[in-house]
Amino acid sequence: QVQLVQSAGGLVQAGGSLRLSCAASRSILSINIMRWYRQAPGNQRELVAAISTFGNTNYEESVKGRFTISRDNAKNTVYLQMNSLKPEDTAVYYCNAVVQAGSSDYTTYWGQGTQVTVSS
């Protein structure tokens, strides 16, 4: 029901910035929560940031103060602005959406993943 198309990532020098985007195939106002995950080689996928329809946000501690998740409802797009990047931020980043179809019925969707590499 929901397709998530992510922008390309990139290679960034440590201390630099990069913005990722994730465009949904329908209004993100109908999506309860949109999130960014990341997965580095050999590691499990971890939650980076989340934003609700109402604008409430949550961040993983290591990125708090450096990363910002935001929405553009008119463009059905969620963004992850990454500043002060560190080599340990290197990972494949995934967009994620949780849709509530009923009172207790939730469905999760994933973007295709985007490689972000931060060099020393």
Side-chain angles (χ1 to χ4, degrees):
Q1 297 187 99
V2 180
Q3 296 182 77
L4 302 173
V5 180
Q6 300 180 218
S7 63
L11 196 161
V12 186
Q13 296 286 334
S17 299
L18 187 68
R19 189 186 73 165
L20 303 180
S21 66
C22 173
S25 60
R26 75 186 201 194
S27 174
I28 59 175
L29 294 174
S30 68
I31 302 175
N32 293 80
I33 299 173
M34 297 198 73
R35 304 183 286 203
W36 287 98
Y37 284 77
R38 67 185 180 187
Q39 186 169 21
N43 294 341
Q44 294 190 12
R45 193 170 298 182
E46 66 175 359
L47 176 65
V48 177
I51 187 168
S52 74
T53 302
F54 309 104
N56 300 314
T57 58
N58 187 37
Y59 297 94
E60 197 275 328
E61 283 298 317
S62 68
V63 308
K64 195 170 186 177
R66 299 188 297 120
F67 290 11
T68 302
I69 187 170
S70 62
R71 309 187 314 264
D72 186 333
N73 294 332
K75 296 181 179 179
N76 296 335
T77 300
V78 64
Y79 301 93
L80 184 67
Q81 178 65 49
M82 303 181 291
N83 299 325
S84 301
L85 283 163
K86 304 175 181 179
E88 50 263 44
D89 294 319
T90 296
V92 176
Y93 284 71
Y94 295 90
C95 183
N96 168 269
V98 179
V99 178
Q100 183 178 11
S103 298
S104 300
D105 186 12
Y106 297 88
T107 303
T108 301
Y109 301 90
W110 293 93
Q112 78 275 20
T114 297
Q115 177 69 48
V116 173
T117 302
V118 183
S119 62
S120 301

